[in-house]
mmCIF file of all heavy atoms in Angstrom:
data_model
loop_
_atom_site.group_PDB
_atom_site.id
_atom_site.type_symbol
_atom_site.label_atom_id
_atom_site.label_comp_id
_atom_site.label_asym_id
_atom_site.label_seq_id
_atom_site.Cartn_x
_atom_site.Cartn_y
_atom_site.Cartn_z
ATOM 1 N N ILE A 326 2.790 8.417 9.139
ATOM 2 C CA ILE A 326 2.304 9.507 8.286
ATOM 3 C C ILE A 326 3.301 10.646 8.313
ATOM 4 O O ILE A 326 3.601 11.249 7.286
ATOM 5 C CB ILE A 326 0.921 10.019 8.740
ATOM 6 C CG1 ILE A 326 -0.023 8.862 8.995
ATOM 7 C CG2 ILE A 326 0.331 10.962 7.698
ATOM 8 C CD1 ILE A 326 -1.397 9.292 9.514
ATOM 9 N N LEU A 327 3.845 10.922 9.500
ATOM 10 C CA LEU A 327 4.815 12.006 9.611
ATOM 11 C C LEU A 327 6.061 11.704 8.790
ATOM 12 O O LEU A 327 6.635 12.580 8.135
ATOM 13 C CB LEU A 327 5.203 12.230 11.075
ATOM 14 C CG LEU A 327 4.072 12.822 11.932
ATOM 15 C CD1 LEU A 327 4.453 12.828 13.405
ATOM 16 C CD2 LEU A 327 3.722 14.225 11.464
ATOM 17 N N GLU A 328 6.466 10.439 8.826
ATOM 18 C CA GLU A 328 7.648 10.082 8.034
ATOM 19 C C GLU A 328 7.362 10.216 6.534
ATOM 20 O O GLU A 328 8.223 10.681 5.772
ATOM 21 C CB GLU A 328 8.092 8.646 8.369
ATOM 22 C CG GLU A 328 9.485 8.383 7.840
ATOM 23 C CD GLU A 328 10.080 7.089 8.352
ATOM 24 O OE1 GLU A 328 9.994 6.813 9.573
ATOM 25 O OE2 GLU A 328 10.628 6.346 7.537
ATOM 26 N N SER A 329 6.146 9.857 6.151
ATOM 27 C CA SER A 329 5.768 10.026 4.750
ATOM 28 C C SER A 329 5.833 11.511 4.357
ATOM 29 O O SER A 329 6.320 11.855 3.278
ATOM 30 C CB SER A 329 4.343 9.548 4.517
ATOM 31 O OG SER A 329 4.271 8.163 4.734
ATOM 32 N N GLN A 330 5.349 12.367 5.250
ATOM 33 C CA GLN A 330 5.363 13.789 4.962
ATOM 34 C C GLN A 330 6.794 14.259 4.784
ATOM 35 O O GLN A 330 7.086 15.050 3.858
ATOM 36 C CB GLN A 330 4.713 14.562 6.118
ATOM 37 C CG GLN A 330 4.526 16.034 5.818
ATOM 38 C CD GLN A 330 3.547 16.272 4.671
ATOM 39 O OE1 GLN A 330 2.423 15.840 4.682
ATOM 40 N NE2 GLN A 330 4.038 16.941 3.610
ATOM 41 N N LYS A 331 7.713 13.786 5.600
ATOM 42 C CA LYS A 331 9.115 14.175 5.471
ATOM 43 C C LYS A 331 9.653 13.791 4.092
ATOM 44 O O LYS A 331 10.392 14.552 3.475
ATOM 45 C CB LYS A 331 9.953 13.434 6.529
ATOM 46 C CG LYS A 331 10.145 14.229 7.783
ATOM 47 C CD LYS A 331 11.155 13.523 8.656
ATOM 48 C CE LYS A 331 11.002 13.978 10.088
ATOM 49 N NZ LYS A 331 11.793 13.150 11.003
ATOM 50 N N THR A 332 9.331 12.576 3.690
ATOM 51 C CA THR A 332 9.812 12.114 2.391
ATOM 52 C C THR A 332 9.264 12.984 1.261
ATOM 53 O O THR A 332 10.004 13.400 0.368
ATOM 54 C CB THR A 332 9.371 10.654 2.170
ATOM 55 O OG1 THR A 332 9.819 9.862 3.270
ATOM 56 C CG2 THR A 332 9.950 10.103 0.869
ATOM 57 N N ILE A 333 7.977 13.278 1.342
ATOM 58 C CA ILE A 333 7.349 14.112 0.315
ATOM 59 C C ILE A 333 8.013 15.491 0.309
ATOM 60 O O ILE A 333 8.364 16.041 -0.752
ATOM 61 C CB ILE A 333 5.830 14.250 0.560
ATOM 62 C CG1 ILE A 333 5.156 12.882 0.388
ATOM 63 C CG2 ILE A 333 5.227 15.278 -0.375
ATOM 64 C CD1 ILE A 333 3.722 12.862 0.888
ATOM 65 N N ASP A 334 8.214 16.069 1.504
ATOM 66 C CA ASP A 334 8.834 17.381 1.596
ATOM 67 C C ASP A 334 10.224 17.386 0.962
ATOM 68 O O ASP A 334 10.626 18.339 0.312
ATOM 69 C CB ASP A 334 8.956 17.813 3.069
ATOM 70 C CG ASP A 334 7.598 18.152 3.673
ATOM 71 O OD1 ASP A 334 6.630 18.315 2.888
ATOM 72 O OD2 ASP A 334 7.495 18.242 4.904
ATOM 73 N N LYS A 335 10.930 16.297 1.199
ATOM 74 C CA LYS A 335 12.271 16.205 0.662
ATOM 75 C C LYS A 335 12.253 16.278 -0.862
ATOM 76 O O LYS A 335 13.067 16.978 -1.464
ATOM 77 C CB LYS A 335 12.875 14.844 1.123
ATOM 78 C CG LYS A 335 14.353 14.751 0.916
ATOM 79 C CD LYS A 335 14.873 13.509 1.644
ATOM 80 C CE LYS A 335 16.285 13.208 1.152
ATOM 81 N NZ LYS A 335 17.019 12.330 2.037
ATOM 82 N N PHE A 336 11.326 15.582 -1.463
ATOM 83 C CA PHE A 336 11.218 15.626 -2.921
ATOM 84 C C PHE A 336 10.739 17.008 -3.385
ATOM 85 O O PHE A 336 11.231 17.558 -4.377
ATOM 86 C CB PHE A 336 10.266 14.551 -3.437
ATOM 87 C CG PHE A 336 10.916 13.183 -3.499
ATOM 88 C CD1 PHE A 336 10.605 12.203 -2.564
ATOM 89 C CD2 PHE A 336 11.859 12.889 -4.473
ATOM 90 C CE1 PHE A 336 11.223 10.960 -2.603
ATOM 91 C CE2 PHE A 336 12.473 11.648 -4.527
ATOM 92 C CZ PHE A 336 12.155 10.680 -3.583
ATOM 93 N N ASN A 337 9.782 17.568 -2.663
ATOM 94 C CA ASN A 337 9.284 18.870 -3.054
ATOM 95 C C ASN A 337 10.333 19.958 -2.941
ATOM 96 O O ASN A 337 10.412 20.848 -3.784
ATOM 97 C CB ASN A 337 8.031 19.239 -2.229
ATOM 98 C CG ASN A 337 6.810 18.489 -2.721
ATOM 99 O OD1 ASN A 337 6.778 18.008 -3.849
ATOM 100 N ND2 ASN A 337 5.793 18.381 -1.882
ATOM 101 N N ASP A 338 11.146 19.880 -1.899
ATOM 102 C CA ASP A 338 12.254 20.828 -1.760
ATOM 103 C C ASP A 338 13.190 20.737 -2.952
ATOM 104 O O ASP A 338 13.665 21.747 -3.487
ATOM 105 C CB ASP A 338 13.051 20.566 -0.477
ATOM 106 C CG ASP A 338 12.282 21.005 0.770
ATOM 107 O OD1 ASP A 338 11.251 21.682 0.611
ATOM 108 O OD2 ASP A 338 12.714 20.665 1.881
ATOM 109 N N PHE A 339 13.438 19.512 -3.340
ATOM 110 C CA PHE A 339 14.322 19.280 -4.475
ATOM 111 C C PHE A 339 13.724 19.873 -5.757
ATOM 112 O O PHE A 339 14.400 20.506 -6.566
ATOM 113 C CB PHE A 339 14.573 17.790 -4.648
ATOM 114 C CG PHE A 339 15.400 17.436 -5.839
ATOM 115 C CD1 PHE A 339 16.742 17.789 -5.907
ATOM 116 C CD2 PHE A 339 14.832 16.761 -6.906
ATOM 117 C CE1 PHE A 339 17.505 17.466 -7.019
ATOM 118 C CE2 PHE A 339 15.583 16.441 -8.024
ATOM 119 C CZ PHE A 339 16.924 16.795 -8.091
#
Side-chain angles (χ1 to χ4, degrees):
Chain A
I326 312 178
L327 291 172
E328 194 169 314
S329 295
Q330 188 65 56
K331 267 189 201 170
T332 305
I333 294 168
D334 289 346
K335 193 169 166 163
F336 281 106
N337 283 340
D338 286 350
F339 176 69

